[in-house]
Amino acid sequence: MDTALAPYAANESQSRGRRHPEPRSAYRGEYQRDRDRIIHSTAFRRLVYKTQVFVNHEGDLYRTRLTHSLEVSQIGRTVAVALQLNEPLTEAICLAHDLGHTPFGHAGQDTLNACMQDYGGFEHNLQSLRVVDVLEAKYADFSGLNLMFETREGILKHCSAHNARELGDVGERFLNRKQPGLEAQIANIADAIAYNNHDVDDGLRAGLLTLEQLREQPLFASRFDEVHERYPELEDRRLIYEIIRRMIGAVVGDLIEETRRRLDDVAPGSIDDVREAGKPLASMSDTMYEQHVSLKRFLYKHLYRHEQKLEMTRKVQAMVSDLFKAYMDDFQIMPDEFAAAAALAEGADRARIVADFIAGMTDRYAISAHEALTG
Ligand code: MG
């Protein structure tokens, strides 16, 4: 199953394996199996009702965290195949990267983090690993999904030294300052490419961004000119899509070319050479990266911090902190499995169970739980 892989790709025959050894599958590779476990997980299904930028009930056509994850995976797989990397592993990491995300997107995550300040904090990326390592309760022999080391390594994008020490094997690279494999590096960049582009689309659809504003962004402007010149009469909806598909194509093409250049330079002979390279080998060129970051800053300023979004942000912040306070005051009002676990825990451990419960909620579950509390 690992034929046609480059020597620097993740290769299951050299994997650091699963925490609980399992017999091999007769007809699936180990990373395919990881991807399948992720797709069958409860946390994955919940992504359909979790906010990306727009709260689920704001409209049917906006990205949710599920469609975001699928777009990340599409981009990641394209790059992986072009570079002869391990496609199923890349796909697994992309599909799992946001499994730990709270309801209400970043507003939810920041609020839960503030609530958890005295109990070790909350970080959605770390929570994604916690979902696949601990929280999914499906298998008779272990908790979590028992994924391959390389999949877990890819899910954990960043980590404090304190948490890295507690995490053992998968935390080591943050203490030794090593890189993850290329599949993880690609998944990380695919995430950024996906949201930069779909947030432009969603922002325009919502009327919070305008074409005039976006034409100040070089990445957008050059594609706008290209499409407009070729199709001067094009209606906005098609125009926007033609621009966005070209933007994705340009960034992805640049990422593949620049990464190839770096791979030629360093010539890693194995995934461990990639880990020890001292810097990420997957990268956009400097020029493209500048344009990408400029668009990202633009979205931050004009979309994520748009007055209309901030109003929603304040509402959901209040909701998440009310929920946290209520469950901390009386853990018995949580569903049985969480209440039972909380009864056996104290202090930070009990707070972590409350955080797990809240983080697992979909937007609409959180809204109705809050209504039930406040009447
Ligand atoms: Mg993401």
Side-chain angles (χ1 to χ4, degrees):
M1 261 156 230
D2 287 340
T3 52
L5 287 180
Y8 43 76
N11 187 319
E12 64 182 61
S13 63
Q14 289 153 25
S15 168
R16 292 172 67 177
R18 302 184 190 279
R19 293 198 290 175
H20 307 273
E22 291 183 66
R24 295 176 64 89
S25 158
Y27 50 86
R28 280 184 302 173
E30 296 302 312
Y31 300 115
Q32 284 178 286
R33 232 174 156 188
D34 278 8
R35 175 203 55 203
D36 299 349
R37 287 179 181 197
I38 290 159
I39 289 177
H40 289 289
S41 71
T42 309
F44 188 71
R45 286 197 297 285
R46 288 181 171 147
L47 295 178
V48 70
Y49 292 117
K50 290 197 183 201
T51 293
Q52 181 63 29
V53 171
F54 293 89
V55 174
N56 193 240
H57 64 246
E58 288 182 284
D60 287 347
L61 289 178
Y62 299 118
R63 269 67 176 188
T64 66
R65 226 157 255 287
L66 181 66
T67 54
H68 161 70
S69 300
L70 294 174
E71 290 186 33
V72 173
S73 162
Q74 178 275 312
I75 291 169
R77 289 166 59 204
T78 299
V79 179
V81 170
L83 296 171
Q84 289 180 282
L85 297 172
N86 198 307
E87 183 188 5
L89 171 60
T90 310
E91 186 179 11
I93 298 169
C94 292
L95 292 178
H97 85 282
D98 271 348
L99 287 181
H101 224 295
T102 58
F104 311 124
H106 282 275
Q109 123 93 33
D110 294 346
T111 310
L112 192 52
N113 185 31
C115 294
M116 287 291 289
Q117 221 36 257
D118 295 338
Y119 311 105
F122 178 88
E123 209 278 303
H124 77 267
N125 179 238
L126 193 60
Q127 189 73 4
S128 293
L129 186 68
R130 187 166 161 78
V131 167
V132 301
D133 275 0
V134 181
L135 295 179
E136 281 287 322
K138 294 193 127 54
Y139 294 87
D141 291 330
F142 45 77
S143 288
L145 303 178
N146 196 30
L147 301 181
M148 297 284 274
F149 176 84
E150 293 72 21
T151 312
R152 299 171 58 234
E153 171 190 48
I155 291 172
L156 191 65
K157 282 192 273 198
H158 33 77
C159 186
S160 68
H162 171 81
N163 287 329
R165 264 178 238 112
E166 304 217 322
L167 284 169
D169 60 358
V170 84
E172 277 166 22
R173 79 177 163 89
F174 299 95
L175 302 171
N176 310 334
R177 301 187 179 278
K178 289 193 186 155
Q179 301 298 319
L182 276 160
E183 289 80 359
Q185 296 181 26
I186 293 295
N188 192 9
I189 301 173
D191 184 21
I193 297 174
Y195 65 63
N196 242 12
N197 283 283
H198 63 49
D199 290 353
V200 166
D201 187 37
D202 283 352
L204 285 166
R205 187 185 306 279
L208 301 185
L209 302 176
T210 64
L211 289 172
E212 290 63 45
Q213 277 178 316
L214 279 158
R215 287 178 69 189
E216 315 254 303
Q217 288 299 312
L219 192 56
F220 189 92
S222 42
R223 273 86 221 169
F224 179 96
D225 294 344
E226 193 184 315
V227 178
H228 189 65
E229 193 176 316
R230 192 152 162 208
Y231 307 99
E233 304 297 326
L234 203 58
E235 64 190 272
D236 276 2
R237 193 165 56 165
R238 289 174 197 256
L239 171 75
I240 291 164
Y241 188 69
E242 285 286 351
I243 294 168
I244 289 175
R245 63 187 282 258
R246 281 172 172 78
M247 289 205 295
I248 298 176
V251 182
V252 166
D254 177 89
L255 169 62
I256 292 168
E257 291 311 312
E258 178 63 23
T259 305
R260 272 199 187 125
R261 250 192 304 277
R262 292 184 180 207
L263 286 167
D264 283 349
D265 253 18
V266 177
S270 69
I271 188 171
D272 280 330
D273 289 351
V274 172
R275 290 176 173 134
E276 317 247 347
K279 60 170 187 188
L281 295 179
S283 174
M284 299 171 205
S285 67
D286 291 346
T287 318
M288 187 57 87
Y289 184 70
E290 254 170 54
Q291 296 189 9
H292 165 85
V293 169
S294 160
L295 180 57
K296 186 173 162 163
R297 286 204 196 102
F298 167 88
L299 288 169
Y300 189 82
K301 186 166 166 208
H302 297 283
L303 181 62
Y304 312 144
R305 300 197 57 81
H306 191 286
E307 191 44 46
Q308 205 173 312
K309 293 244 38 87
L310 290 180
E311 203 179 301
M312 184 60 85
T313 299
R314 283 187 285 269
K315 264 189 226 163
V316 304
Q317 280 170 340
M319 231 185 288
V320 170
S321 47
D322 287 351
L323 287 173
F324 185 81
K325 191 174 177 312
Y327 301 136
M328 286 298 280
D329 285 351
D330 182 4
F331 62 82
Q332 305 276 17
I333 60 175
M334 292 193 291
D336 291 351
E337 52 180 307
F338 290 97
L344 300 172
E346 280 182 350
D349 292 339
R350 184 178 286 172
R352 185 60 55 192
I353 292 162
V354 171
D356 286 340
F357 177 45
I358 295 174
M361 293 179 179
T362 61
D363 294 359
R364 58 183 193 171
Y365 186 100
I367 291 168
S368 66
H370 188 259
E371 271 168 13
L373 280 177
T374 55

